[in-house]
Amino acid sequence: MKKLIYIVLALLSFSACKKKKKDTNTTTAPIEQKQAYAKSAGRLNSLTIVSENHFWEGAVGEQLRKYFAASVMGLPQEEPLFDMKQMPPKAFSGFAKKARHFIIIEEGKEKGFFKYTNKYARPQLGYKLTGYTAEEIIEQLQAHQKEIIANLKAHEVIYRQNTINASLEIEGLKEAMGFSIKVPHNYRIAKADKDFYWIRKNNPHGTTDLTFYTLPIDYFKNDTISMTQNIINMRDSIAGDNIVVDEGGRFITEEAYAPYLNETTVGGLPAFETKGTWEVKNKYMAGPFVNYLIKDEARQKYYVLEGFVFAPTVKKRNYMFELEAIIKTIKFE
């Protein structure tokens, strides 16, 4: 009997050793998985370019700056889409690999275009462009730049939305307007009634503001003027009546420059996105705005959501980006 017990114990010991040896040889995947769960880093709308210095200083760099440092539409001062920083491939290691957004330029390989999601950290979005020559890399860049920019911006919107940990409670909004929205708790309600909501946040250099209202589907009866002019007339009338300004002034669309109009979707519904400049008539006050006119055929109405910024001495891109990200959290009830 003792002999049998010793044999069983020996077999169990051998089996455990064998299993332990097998586990030891499979450590690569868990290490990669752990690495992919590192937290990404980077300021809002930042982009790391990984390329050899001669590419960055030459034609490839010129094309990268042309597309990714292009001016943001609708801002009163020139500000780039992304704040770019370049580093050679040998420097892209350690903490640098945690950049939330990156583009790798690689020479000496067949033409290619690759996308990476959460490769070195989370959340992270990256791309790699390859080619035997600078000309081939530029071809890849020109072919895919619109896709890359759209995906990076959408990725950044989601990232900003996910940083809203505590939402402002906007009593009666769902019942009055037919939607809910995720607004950070450091905003405050300046005005709230069944027809118009005005939400504000004080910043070190001014304010960021949101307005919400709805319109009947037949509101735009004048089809002899452009949609841009219709939207200008709408916001000058409704927002002008509801945004309180100093005596003698009125909140209107800045008259010197026509806003940019773009068709898009918000919350799954078709929408017009309008970007331009607001001003207070007869006062030295102005700033950028983004307006979304969302059409709901089923409920026979428009939802109007607008964000605008007053910050006269500082850059405004990231303030406007925050407002855009907030508006795109809309959920229709």
Side-chain angles (χ1 to χ4, degrees):
M1 185 67 180
K2 280 186 178 182
K3 188 175 181 181
L4 180 60
I5 292 172
Y6 288 141
I7 292 170
V8 171
L9 289 173
L11 288 170
L12 288 172
S13 177
F14 176 76
S15 174
C17 290
K18 187 175 180 182
K19 185 177 181 182
K20 187 175 181 181
K21 185 176 181 181
K22 183 179 179 182
D23 289 344
T24 318
N25 290 334
T26 58
T27 56
T28 304
I31 289 173
E32 290 177 350
Q33 187 179 27
K34 183 179 179 182
Q35 189 177 24
Y37 277 92
K39 187 177 180 180
S40 63
R43 294 182 179 180
L44 199 64
N45 293 309
S46 61
L47 176 61
T48 297
I49 304 297
V50 183
S51 75
E52 297 293 354
N53 293 337
H54 70 274
F55 274 127
W56 179 249
E57 295 162 3
V60 173
E62 288 178 8
Q63 291 296 306
L64 286 165
R65 288 185 286 274
K66 174 183 175 181
Y67 297 124
F68 298 99
S71 295
V72 178
M73 291 190 303
L75 296 183
Q77 301 97 2
E78 285 195 5
E79 296 185 51
L81 282 173
F82 300 97
D83 296 320
M84 294 192 294
K85 68 175 181 180
Q86 176 264 345
M87 63 179 64
K90 63 182 179 182
F92 189 57
S93 62
F95 183 78
K97 281 191 171 182
K98 294 180 182 179
R100 194 160 58 253
H101 299 139
F102 64 85
I103 296 176
I104 298 172
I105 304 297
E106 196 167 317
E107 184 185 21
K109 290 188 176 181
E110 186 178 350
K111 279 198 302 184
F113 173 66
F114 307 91
K115 178 180 178 181
Y116 301 106
T117 304
N118 302 332
K119 183 173 177 63
Y120 306 111
R122 289 176 179 263
Q124 187 181 63
L125 181 60
Y127 291 90
K128 182 164 74 172
L129 304 172
T130 61
Y132 285 114
T133 64
E135 289 73 21
E136 288 188 347
I137 292 171
I138 289 172
E139 284 178 22
Q140 292 295 303
L141 183 58
Q142 291 172 338
H144 299 288
Q145 50 91 10
K146 288 184 180 179
E147 175 188 344
I148 296 173
I149 290 171
N151 288 342
L152 289 177
K153 298 302 288 185
H155 190 258
E156 196 75 312
V157 165
I158 293 170
Y159 171 79
R160 183 65 188 89
Q161 290 172 342
N162 289 338
T163 64
I164 304 174
N165 297 318
S167 297
L168 176 70
E169 185 177 344
I170 310 175
E171 187 175 347
L173 177 67
K174 188 188 301 183
E175 293 75 18
M177 301 285 172
F179 65 82
S180 60
I181 193 166
K182 194 176 178 183
V183 179
H185 72 283
N186 54 355
Y187 282 72
R188 59 186 170 84
I189 299 171
K191 184 173 185 176
D193 59 39
K194 64 178 182 179
D195 299 316
F196 192 91
Y197 278 75
W198 180 13
I199 316 294
R200 313 192 75 187
K201 181 179 76 170
N202 292 330
N203 293 315
H205 302 277
T207 63
T208 47
D209 298 72
L210 291 156
T211 58
F212 312 139
Y213 51 98
T214 61
L215 300 170
I217 203 76
D218 61 351
Y219 179 83
F220 300 104
K221 295 177 181 178
N222 188 349
D223 57 3
T224 63
I225 60 176
S226 68
M227 196 63 201
T228 302
Q229 189 60 52
N230 270 324
I231 291 171
I232 290 172
N233 294 344
M234 170 199 74
R235 65 183 309 280
D236 287 359
S237 173
I238 297 173
D241 287 344
N242 286 277
I243 299 294
V244 179
V245 297
D246 292 337
E247 186 177 349
R250 184 175 176 84
F251 182 81
I252 61 170
T253 308
E254 203 274 334
E255 296 176 344
Y257 302 99
Y260 298 94
L261 186 69
N262 177 50
E263 293 187 40
T264 184
T265 58
V266 177
L269 294 177
F272 288 103
E273 176 189 64
T274 309
K275 292 184 176 182
T277 304
W278 61 269
E279 67 174 352
V280 174
K281 196 172 182 64
N282 301 322
K283 302 289 182 180
Y284 293 104
M285 293 182 68
F289 75 84
V290 58
N291 180 290
Y292 291 94
L293 178 68
I294 307 168
K295 189 174 185 179
D296 189 341
E297 289 278 7
R299 295 176 176 84
Q300 287 291 286
K301 65 179 177 180
Y302 287 104
Y303 307 94
V304 185
L305 293 89
E306 178 168 312
F308 62 94
V309 170
F310 178 63
T313 60
V314 297
K315 294 180 178 180
K316 302 165 185 63
R317 180 196 63 189
N318 287 352
Y319 285 140
M320 291 302 298
F321 189 83
E322 176 181 290
L323 294 171
E324 180 183 337
I326 291 170
I327 289 171
K328 290 179 178 178
T329 65
I330 191 169
K331 289 186 177 179
F332 300 104
E333 305 298 331

